Amino acid sequence: MNSVNVLVVGAGPTGLTLAYDLARRGVSVRIIDKDAKFTTASRGKAGIQPRTQEVFDDFGIVDEVLKLGTTRLPFRRYHRDRIVSEAIPYEANDPLPDAPYRRLLFVRQSLVEGVLRDRLVETGNSVERGVNLLRFEQDAGGVVATLESEGGSEEVTADYLVGCDGGASTVRKVLGLEFRGFTEEDRKLLVGDVEVDGLEPDAWYQWYDMERGILLLCPLADTNTWQIQASPPVDAGGAPMGPSLEAMQTAVDRITGMPIRLSNPTWLSTMKRNVRMVDTMRVDRVLLAGDAAHVHPVTAALGANTGVQDAYNLGWKLARVITRGADDGLLDTYERERVPIAEWTLKTACDAGDLIFAAMLDGKGGAEKGLTEESLQLGLHYREGPLSRDLVGAGAVRAGDRAPDSPCPGSIDGATTLFDAFRGPHLTLVGVGPTTAAALETVSDEHGDVRTVLLTEHPEAYAGPGDRLVLVRSDGYIGLVAPADDARSVLDYLAALDTFAPVEN
């Protein structure tokens, strides 16, 4: 029987992020996907949010991903053949010292998955395609999973299994978890990838017609393909038409009245409005991440982003349990931190839909109304979480916050910014102010795997009334803020991660 530390089920952005993060930390991992071929469909084309771009910065792939899409896409709204308005979301969001990524990246999800797969291959791992999870059982010693492929079936033992297998998750169903929420069967859009004649590929074209329906046509960067979303037209008998080139052309003709022709469909589907989530993301040695744990409307472009961030939260915790022997109670913090984020995501996506609908009724906007500063996800935090400890209580950042970037010329290893220092699978102790130097040395001597950075001044992002120590977790969130000379609290915090004793504020 084959064995592995972690079996990841599902090779979308969530599963690939988790598999790579585990592999770079020395964890043995297998990642399987039931599809025999990698998809080229646009699917989640809405975009990569800045917080996810920061994750990709840590992985060393952000520049490659940015080249595959665009951060400047005009949203051009029409009524029939007349332009009503045009807006460029986040156009004024120039990079800042504490946030180098502040714009949504419009890019095909399949291209991002390709970059993640390539990075995974560099670790000696690859996606096993055409492999289906049939069933699994678990006990105190691990998980036994039965897999099926063209070559037959096999049993695999794993220390942990993580379901990243989407909204129809087999893993979630085997666990018997309730996927509470609702599905609006009467609110559907046809969606697909097609070629378009009659429009210049320089904007996302949008029609919001209360009588004729909704039509969105978005060009996909560096291809001849567009993604179409359209209200289903009705056939001669008055029934809504299913996804087909004919149905989509009928919708285009009815809604626009323009000489726009569709051709060469490569992917066709139907999109429903689903709002669902689980209440628990861990059942002993089996965990859920991404759409397997929460699904929501595409408004606000949060779907794949939230899944990637689930995986990023979980990866370092699993690795610490497996490679360092930390108490697996540490894994309970994954659920305690991410379930509130899932709830926030569902609410934010639904609120974005309401904003878009209100703009439609007023005739004063479209999809851009659902993209707010909040949806950039830079403000998400774990301040009330079990791993957040704040011993200072004042300053620009608090325990549980996302750790901002900042210039730090010549501090260590040629790093010129804090993001340079954070990059990699380690924790980072930032000394804000010169009086932290002795504490940094003490921690470094005892924990060689904790990188230390001394900021001789107080940058705006880390400003406060006095010098202090800021311990940054492996996923770029602040775990501890302590007085400048309090190396003991840092060492106690690190020990608590392994014992596992929840830190108390």
Side-chain angles (χ1 to χ4, degrees):
M1 186 180 298
N2 296 320
S3 63
V4 69
N5 290 143
V6 181
L7 175 63
V8 178
V9 182
T14 303
L16 289 166
T17 296
L18 180 61
Y20 172 68
D21 201 21
L22 290 170
R24 71 170 180 160
R25 298 174 189 278
V27 176
S28 68
V29 61
R30 286 182 67 178
I31 178 170
I32 64 171
D33 197 278
K34 65 182 180 180
D35 291 338
K37 295 181 179 180
F38 297 130
T39 182
T40 58
S42 60
R43 293 187 179 174
K45 66 96 191 61
I48 305 299
Q49 296 286 7
R51 178 57 193 153
T52 302
Q53 293 172 45
E54 292 181 353
V55 176
F56 292 161
D57 183 299
D58 178 35
F59 287 0
I61 60 173
V62 68
D63 290 339
E64 185 176 356
V65 171
L66 288 170
K67 290 177 182 177
L68 297 175
T70 180
T71 58
R72 192 183 187 282
L73 182 66
F75 285 24
R76 189 170 295 157
R77 191 166 64 90
Y78 276 73
H79 179 72
R80 300 291 280 168
D81 61 352
R82 178 174 60 87
I83 296 177
V84 176
S85 65
E86 182 166 303
I88 301 177
Y90 307 118
E91 185 176 24
N93 280 22
D94 292 329
L96 295 174
D98 65 327
Y101 313 105
R102 298 184 62 237
R103 294 174 178 157
L104 185 65
L105 174 68
F106 297 90
V107 61
R108 293 173 67 168
Q109 180 175 306
S110 59
L111 297 180
V112 177
E113 290 173 356
V115 174
L116 286 166
R117 286 195 300 268
D118 290 345
R119 182 50 56 102
L120 181 63
V121 167
E122 293 175 9
T123 69
N125 297 274
S126 60
V127 176
E128 299 177 37
R129 293 179 287 175
V131 180
N132 194 36
L133 173 69
L134 293 182
R135 57 188 173 271
F136 63 84
E137 296 179 349
Q138 62 171 317
D139 57 27
V143 183
V144 178
T146 302
L147 310 181
E148 184 179 52
S149 65
E150 283 189 355
S153 63
E154 66 167 316
E155 285 193 344
V156 177
T157 62
D159 296 321
Y160 296 92
L161 183 151
V162 185
C164 306
D165 49 343
S169 172
T170 297
V171 176
R172 186 188 67 245
K173 291 174 182 176
V174 173
L175 291 174
L177 296 177
E178 180 185 2
F179 209 28
R180 62 177 177 85
F182 59 89
T183 300
E184 296 183 343
E185 296 288 347
D186 59 340
R187 294 183 64 175
K188 297 179 181 178
L189 288 176
L190 304 181
V191 60
D193 292 345
V194 297
E195 293 185 12
V196 175
D197 288 323
L199 296 175
E200 290 297 319
D202 61 347
W204 188 356
Y205 295 79
Q206 304 175 10
W207 287 260
Y208 296 94
D209 192 311
M210 299 304 294
E211 295 181 1
R212 295 180 175 86
I214 295 172
L215 173 66
L216 308 174
L217 286 167
C218 183
L220 302 174
D222 297 324
T223 73
N224 294 323
T225 304
W226 297 56
Q227 188 188 82
I228 180 172
Q229 298 174 35
S231 299
V234 296
D235 60 21
M241 299 174 69
S244 68
L245 182 63
E246 177 189 4
M248 291 177 173
Q249 185 66 61
T250 299
V252 168
D253 294 343
R254 171 179 167 76
I255 295 169
T256 74
M258 296 170 64
I260 300 170
R261 304 305 302 171
L262 310 181
S263 63
N264 299 328
T266 56
W267 169 61
L268 299 171
S269 187
T270 301
M271 183 167 59
K272 301 177 184 178
R273 190 171 188 263
N274 281 319
V275 183
R276 296 184 179 275
M277 65 175 287
V278 295
D279 291 320
T280 180
M281 297 173 74
R282 180 191 183 194
V283 179
D284 299 323
R285 291 179 173 269
V286 180
L287 303 102
L288 298 174
D291 285 355
H294 42 75
V295 295
H296 47 82
V298 298
T299 49
L302 298 173
N305 293 280
T306 304
V308 165
Q309 292 162 44
D310 283 347
Y312 196 48
N313 181 289
L314 178 59
W316 71 273
K317 296 173 182 178
L318 272 173
R320 200 168 185 97
V321 170
I322 292 168
T323 65
R324 296 176 60 98
D327 189 292
D328 82 346
L330 179 63
L331 300 180
D332 290 334
T333 70
Y334 165 65
E335 175 181 299
R336 290 176 63 183
E337 290 183 334
R338 295 306 296 176
V339 165
I341 298 299
E343 292 172 339
W344 172 90
T345 301
L346 267 62
K347 181 180 184 303
T348 301
C350 290
D351 289 349
D354 292 342
L355 291 172
I356 294 170
F357 186 68
M360 288 171 53
L361 291 177
D362 291 342
K364 295 180 179 179
E368 75 280 359
K369 297 298 183 181
L371 300 175
T372 65
E373 287 297 310
E374 188 178 22
S375 63
L376 297 177
Q377 298 185 300
L378 296 177
L380 295 178
H381 63 80
Y382 307 131
R383 287 181 181 174
E384 307 304 321
L387 296 182
S388 300
R389 189 177 189 188
D390 202 327
L391 302 180
V392 175
V397 294
R398 294 170 52 188
D401 287 351
R402 158 196 165 271
D405 198 7
S406 176
C408 57
S411 57
I412 57 163
D413 299 338
T416 59
T417 69
L418 284 182
F419 275 13
D420 290 337
F422 297 162
R423 197 173 297 120
H426 54 270
L427 286 81
T428 306
L429 181 60
V430 180
V432 183
T435 63
T436 63
L440 293 179
E441 184 176 358
T442 298
V443 173
S444 181
D445 288 345
E446 189 158 334
H447 282 271
D449 57 342
V450 176
R451 182 171 289 182
T452 58
V453 182
L454 176 62
L455 302 179
T456 56
E457 298 180 353
H458 290 202
E460 183 178 353
Y462 290 83
D467 294 356
R468 72 195 65 81
L469 299 166
V470 179
L471 182 64
V472 180
R473 304 171 0 174
S474 299
D475 59 354
Y477 280 86
I478 296 169
L480 171 71
V481 182
D485 59 353
D486 195 359
R488 184 72 263 159
S489 288
V490 177
L491 296 173
D492 288 348
Y493 182 95
L494 294 169
L497 290 178
D498 292 333
T499 47
F500 163 74
V503 295
E504 300 294 340
N505 286 325

